[in-house]
Amino acid sequence: MLLAQLRDGGLPVGTDLREFSGEAGFAARVAEAVGDGLRIAMEYPQPTALCADERSVKTARLVGHLNNKATIGTFVDPRFRARRSVVPRAGLAEATPAEESWVLKAATDDAHGGSLDVYLHRAGDEVALPAFTDLLGEFVLEEYLHILRNWGVQLYVGVDAVARLLAVTEQRVDGAGVYVGGRFGPVAPPPDDLLAECLAITQRAADVGYRGLCSLDCAETLDGRLAMLDLNFRITSGSIPLLALRSVRPDALDGPAESVKLAVAAPMAELLAELRPALAAGGLLVTSGHDTTRTDNRVRQSTLQLLVYGDDPEDVTARRSALEAKFGL
């Protein structure tokens, strides 16, 4: 049903889809692909026993290193580095006082569940360390920045090993500073020197072997500082809408658009049925989704990533807000 909706929306859907519902099935599908002579472009590091380096577009070691929150200083010019330090688990309690504001991130070369790696603490709140602190041995402790403007700079590295700019997006964050979606189209660009640094960072990654899409999170603070926040060397929720719109409505790329994620404890069929009137009205595109009922995950949840687009930025924002309100977000 989800694939049918993607096709109906005009998106190209793969013709060699290989289904799996758990870890064992995933390993079998990768083995089949490698056996067919295909090369794997992994977005998260996988064991070399599953995919040998020579069968990878980019090695697991490289992908893990580039996405480790502790290695950002390796690629970022000192002018744009936020103050951060690596803290072992044994020193975590002392390094995270309740009376100070700070940001905690996972520090690992391994895949660890994507969005589990950021925890923001405001001075005076009760400290409730996240689940990833029970799984890992090291963490990145970062200063809490008071942000004026927040961007996701979308770039890519092609087979020619040259870094290129895809687009600049703005990041929408909630009251706690957590990313909830992006703004696309006519957004206010970052200062030239910050944008140049984003290209330079991506080229440094290209020079050590990276190929593919990446999204670099950066910001301007209330006191005028420019800082790189995160380096995401993988396909992200910032790049997917851009690629989808380029496929379906390239003429709309320069117009206003906003992304939104809907996650509900209901079957995918019910979620799509609820969205059918809005989809039929136009200006709304399903870009990706996931239904845990098709996996061995015990949590039952349907998730959709959507892009709201149009000609009037206020109308786009209103329709995106209505979707969030409808599904209790």
Side-chain angles (χ1 to χ4, degrees), residues 9-91:
L11 288 172
V13 176
T15 57
D16 184 16
L17 302 177
R18 307 189 184 200
E19 189 171 325
F20 60 91
S21 61
E23 291 290 336
F26 172 71
R29 298 293 85 76
V30 172
E32 287 176 1
V34 171
D36 290 344
L38 301 175
R39 296 184 70 193
I40 306 298
M42 66 183 78
E43 299 302 297
Y44 289 93
Q46 302 296 334
T48 53
L50 181 63
C51 182
D53 288 350
E54 59 269 20
R55 302 307 311 160
S56 303
V57 174
K58 46 204 173 186
T59 68
R61 182 176 181 181
L62 176 63
V63 171
H65 178 69
L66 290 173
N67 287 294
N68 188 332
K69 306 301 182 184
T71 62
I72 186 171
T74 307
F75 296 93
V76 177
D77 186 283
R79 294 177 298 155
F80 302 101
R81 294 178 194 167
R83 291 188 294 273
R84 52 175 62 89
S85 58
V86 178
V87 179
R89 182 186 292 174

Side-chain angles (χ1 to χ4, degrees), residues 156-238:
Y156 69 98
V157 180
V159 293
D160 60 358
V162 175
R164 292 181 175 87
L165 178 67
L166 182 63
V168 175
T169 65
E170 287 183 338
Q171 297 190 328
R172 295 191 298 110
V173 296
D174 63 16
V178 177
Y179 176 83
V180 293
R183 293 189 180 92
F184 304 79
V187 303
D192 290 343
D193 52 348
L194 185 56
L195 189 58
E197 176 63 11
C198 289
L199 272 165
I201 290 168
T202 307
Q203 189 58 56
R204 291 173 196 131
D207 292 343
V208 296
Y210 185 76
R211 303 292 182 268
L213 293 161
C214 63
S215 177
L216 309 188
D217 299 344
C218 53
E220 180 182 5
T221 65
L222 290 174
D223 59 1
R225 291 174 57 197
L226 300 176
M228 298 300 308
L229 304 178
D230 277 315
L231 311 182
N232 304 298
F233 283 94
R234 57 181 181 269
I235 296 172
T236 68
S237 56

Side-chain angles (χ1 to χ4, degrees), residues 101-321:
S101 296
W102 38 266
V103 179
L104 190 69
K105 301 177 180 179
T108 176
D109 281 2
D110 298 326
H112 51 86
S115 300
L116 301 178
D117 55 356
V118 179
Y119 173 73
L120 298 95
H121 174 77
R122 288 181 173 176
D125 291 348
E126 182 180 354
V127 176
L129 293 178
F132 68 75
T133 57
D134 294 326
L135 304 175
L136 305 174
E138 285 189 331
F139 312 92
V140 174
L141 191 68
E142 191 174 286
E143 64 176 315
Y144 192 110
L145 297 173
H146 297 280
I147 293 174
L148 174 64
R149 295 189 294 171
N150 195 356
W151 299 277
V153 181
Q154 315 298 328
L155 306 104
Y156 69 98
V157 180
V159 293
D160 60 358
V162 175
R164 292 181 175 87
L165 178 67
L166 182 63
V168 175
T169 65
E170 287 183 338
Q171 297 190 328
R172 295 191 298 110
V173 296
D174 63 16
V178 177
Y179 176 83
V180 293
R183 293 189 180 92
F184 304 79
V187 303
D192 290 343
D193 52 348
L194 185 56
L195 189 58
E197 176 63 11
C198 289
L199 272 165
I201 290 168
T202 307
Q203 189 58 56
R204 291 173 196 131
D207 292 343
V208 296
Y210 185 76
R211 303 292 182 268
L213 293 161
C214 63
S215 177
L216 309 188
D217 299 344
C218 53
E220 180 182 5
T221 65
L222 290 174
D223 59 1
R225 291 174 57 197
L226 300 176
M228 298 300 308
L229 304 178
D230 277 315
L231 311 182
N232 304 298
F233 283 94
R234 57 181 181 269
I235 296 172
T236 68
S237 56
S239 53
I240 291 173
L242 287 168
L243 298 176
L245 205 56
R246 180 171 295 216
S247 296
V248 175
R249 284 287 306 277
D251 58 306
L253 278 168
D254 294 329
E258 297 187 17
S259 62
V260 61
K261 181 173 77 170
L262 305 179
V264 299
M268 180 64 71
E270 291 184 15
L271 179 54
L272 288 172
E274 286 283 323
L275 286 169
R276 196 159 290 125
L279 290 166
L284 180 64
L285 180 66
V286 176
T287 58
S288 63
H290 185 249
D291 184 355
T292 61
T293 62
R294 300 183 64 85
T295 74
D296 58 7
N297 193 323
R298 289 173 293 179
V299 176
R300 293 314 184 204
Q301 180 173 272
S302 297
T303 304
L304 284 179
Q305 299 276 358
L306 304 108
L307 186 68
V308 183
Y309 63 94
D311 300 317
D312 181 355
E314 292 185 1
D315 173 67
V316 166
T317 297
R319 288 189 288 123
R320 185 266 303 161
S321 297

